[in-house]
Amino acid sequence: MKRPKIGFFSLSCCGGCLMQTLLEEESFIKLGEIVDIVQFRLIKDSIPETEIDIAVIEGSIGSKEDRAKAEEIRKAAKQVIALGACAIEGGVQSKEGFLPLRKAIKIDWDIRGCPVDAGEFLQKIAALLVGQDISQRELSVCSECREKEFPCLINRGSICLGFLSYAGCGAACPSKGTWCLGCRGFMKESNKGMANEISGKNISHLMDFFGEEDGRD
Amino acid sequence: MAEIKISEISRVYGHASLSIWLKDKTAESVNIRLTQPRRNFQNLALGRRYEEVPYLMSRICGSCSFSHHLASTMAIERALGCEEKSNPARELSIIAEIIHNHAFHLYWQVIPDYTGHSSLLELLPKNQKLVQGAILLRQTAKRIKTIIAGRPMHPLGHGIGTSVQISTKELALVKQAILDAIEPAKQTAEYIASLETEFFARKAEYMCVAGADYPCMTGNLISTSGMDIPQEGCLGAAEYKTLMQQKPPVVGALARMNNRHVALSPLARKAVKASRVIFPNYNPLMNNFAQSVEVIHLLETGLKALERIEKTDDSQPRKTEGVGTAAVESSKGTIVHHYVIKDGIVKDAKVITSDEHNIRNFEQDALKLAPRFLKSRREEIVLELGKLLRAYDLCFNCASH
């Protein structure tokens, strides 16, 4: 069987999501044994490939060069994964005119978070390699807080956007008593119109912390 | 003029191109250009409540997120009159980030230059033991960061005025992780010292934050030519301004070693002695070795910091307006955050990253080093300048803040 070719690419962002993919080094090295990592500029010298099975792209579109690069990757890749909040929603810099990837090219899959979770990334890549659907499940961060029995931030009078936002982070922020700012984007069916009433606070100004309110068209 | 251009430098953080301009076969200039647009974090902070700002500023850089977060937190705490007290948990999280980054930089970015591989993945089958050491070091750092800050990037729980609480059980885990990493850290320093490093020197100015210990988050800004100014108000200090205009100082591991090698831990001192490298050292390529020594030093310093961790109360802001500055050492060097706050809202923000100090120094060194390789093939020139560039551990993500 031909080894699948995976390319890792970066546009305008903090560069953190690609670093996260390397966090579980042993697993990443195993990934390198079953696929060809044809491009990963952060850790590898390489020449551009014209045919890639999976392109993983972090970062937002901030310039003509970013757009051209995204289009080029799209042309070469059979499937494109938007990796992290910058690629999916534009990221914290979106107020300065940076755009999410889907404004420039068609995206096949999302892996969410700011930063993305290393374990989730590896699981989803593995699932994709055997042809599974890796769509985000429509569950909010509340489901994870309840499961782990973390005290509810809203009940404690703290800011929390978790009831609007996609789960998958393991409720990392509430676990440390830190505000959930919804880095994984808001669910399709979330009750954004009532956000201030539900949270008992004005949180409108925080709803675009990681970019556009809704990660999807 | 002829140009040798590397349009996307690989094995570095972020995006930049490097050009060497040649005239009559001599190097006329060397120039780094950021190819990532500025994200304007100084603008993004304006109009925000102060509590939100550290969580924004950590996003300047994925690899230095803890340093940016804490520099931002501490500058805001100063502006709002929070009581300053020793904070070993914060020190420990900076220590973990520096170890995490040094190990990443040395193994994934630097070593392939010297072994002739395109990446560490290629080297793996030939030197399993070496790579295992890298993995262990990184896992230790990751574990400490996760215990203290919830995750290894964009830290949680380091809010304004808050002190991080760590349970006795977690403290024991951190301690064990540190002890496990000491042996691989020693091996790393030995291996890095054995790499054949070009002999090169330029007596540049080296600057870092340093208090009684090393590296410090609360000491003065000091330099090898004797600058010694408090970090509060440093951006306005004449000495610092003149230095930045005339002779931007080099920052990073080598700068810390050149200024504070006397404060090294016993095992780190031993590693230096065994290598026969002498500090202060003005060869920028020795930054790699300095990083590997720092890893040992920081592990030992981390053990000491663990003993000082105790339950402390939060120190809440005493006012809603003020001006504050904080300088923190990141793996790549000194970063400075400065804020003006009114009615709890950020009115002005200024961030200086390590690259603002280092890029110009790299260009000067590259210009001086280039003539040695100009008669070689393009690949050779690219390799040798790449070694220098990676030794500087430049971060173009930070630079595009």
Side-chain angles (χ1 to χ4, degrees), chain A residues 47-189:
Chain A
I47 36 170
E49 291 265 338
T50 48
E51 270 181 44
I52 302 170
D53 293 292
I54 302 171
V56 180
I57 311 179
E58 69 166 7
S60 54
I61 308 275
S63 62
K64 267 188 267 171
E65 287 81 6
D66 278 347
R67 191 177 278 270
K69 204 156 129 194
E71 285 166 359
E72 209 174 294
I73 300 166
R74 180 70 262 189
K75 240 187 257 168
K78 287 189 192 129
Q79 302 193 72
V80 172
I81 299 177
L83 187 74
C86 295
I88 297 166
E89 302 156 85
V92 292
Q93 64 272 14
S94 58
K95 281 205 173 69
E96 292 287 318
F98 289 75
L99 298 171
L101 259 184
R102 75 192 142 79
K103 297 273 177 184
I105 58 170
K106 184 180 161 278
I107 300 297
D108 301 298
W109 307 102
D110 293 334
I111 298 180
R112 291 170 176 267
C114 178
V116 294
D117 179 76
E120 185 189 3
F121 166 78
L122 288 163
Q123 276 172 16
K124 287 200 163 170
I125 280 285
L128 198 57
L129 285 172
V130 295
Q132 281 188 339
D133 179 338
I134 58 163
S135 305
Q136 178 78 34
R137 287 167 66 199
E138 295 287 318
L139 279 175
S140 74
V141 178
C142 294
S143 66
E144 292 183 316
C145 259
R146 284 202 196 107
E147 191 188 316
K148 301 196 170 178
E149 297 180 357
F150 295 142
C152 176
L153 286 179
I154 292 178
N155 288 348
R156 285 164 70 192
S158 182
I159 285 172
C160 184
L161 277 64
F163 64 96
L164 300 168
S165 315
Y166 279 111
C169 53
C173 298
S175 82
K176 286 278 168 185
T178 302
W179 304 347
C180 167
L181 294 173
C183 72
R184 301 174 68 94
F186 299 152
M187 297 183 301
K188 274 186 247 170
E189 307 281 308

Side-chain angles (χ1 to χ4, degrees), chain A residues 10-17 19-20 22-26 28-29 33 37 41-45 62-63 66 69 92-93 95-96 98 114-115 172-173 176 178-179 181 205-206 209-210, chain B residues 8-15 36-40 43-44 48 51-52 55-56 59-63 100 104 108-109 118-119 124 138-139 142 147-148 150-154 156-157 397:
Chain A
S10 180
L11 302 174
S12 294
C13 61
C14 83
C17 286
M19 287 174 215
Q20 284 287 95
L22 283 157
L23 190 69
E24 303 293 341
E25 261 141 342
E26 274 179 319
F28 183 85
I29 288 167
E33 286 165 6
I37 294 169
R41 209 178 34 79
L42 179 65
I43 56 161
K44 191 177 192 288
D45 309 320
S63 62
D66 278 347
K69 204 156 129 194
V92 292
Q93 64 272 14
K95 281 205 173 69
E96 292 287 318
F98 289 75
C114 178
C173 298
K176 286 278 168 185
T178 302
W179 304 347
L181 294 173
H205 65 293
L206 290 171
F209 193 87
F210 291 102
Chain B
E8 270 213 282
I9 307 167
S10 53
R11 282 186 278 119
V12 294
Y13 302 97
H15 312 262
Q36 169 170 338
R38 281 197 182 272
R39 290 163 293 150
N40 289 329
N43 251 355
L44 289 168
R48 283 198 182 276
E51 299 101 318
E52 301 162 19
Y55 296 99
L56 172 71
R59 267 79 186 182
I60 288 174
C61 175
S63 73
H100 209 200
F104 183 80
W108 286 100
Q109 298 184 324
S118 75
S119 86
L124 181 71
R138 297 251 302 150
Q139 291 304 315
K142 183 191 105 181
I147 288 174
I148 299 179
R151 60 184 180 195
M153 188 181 294
H154 301 324
L156 308 167
N397 292 323

Side-chain angles (χ1 to χ4, degrees), chain A residues 1-8 27-38 44 53-54 121 125-126 128-130, chain B residues 121:
Chain A
M1 202 181 94
K2 246 178 79 184
R3 283 153 68 93
K5 289 182 181 176
I6 302 190
F8 292 79
S27 307
F28 183 85
I29 288 167
K30 280 192 191 128
L31 179 69
E33 286 165 6
I34 54 171
V35 304
D36 279 339
I37 294 169
V38 290
K44 191 177 192 288
D53 293 292
I54 302 171
F121 166 78
I125 280 285
L128 198 57
L129 285 172
V130 295
Chain B
L121 289 173

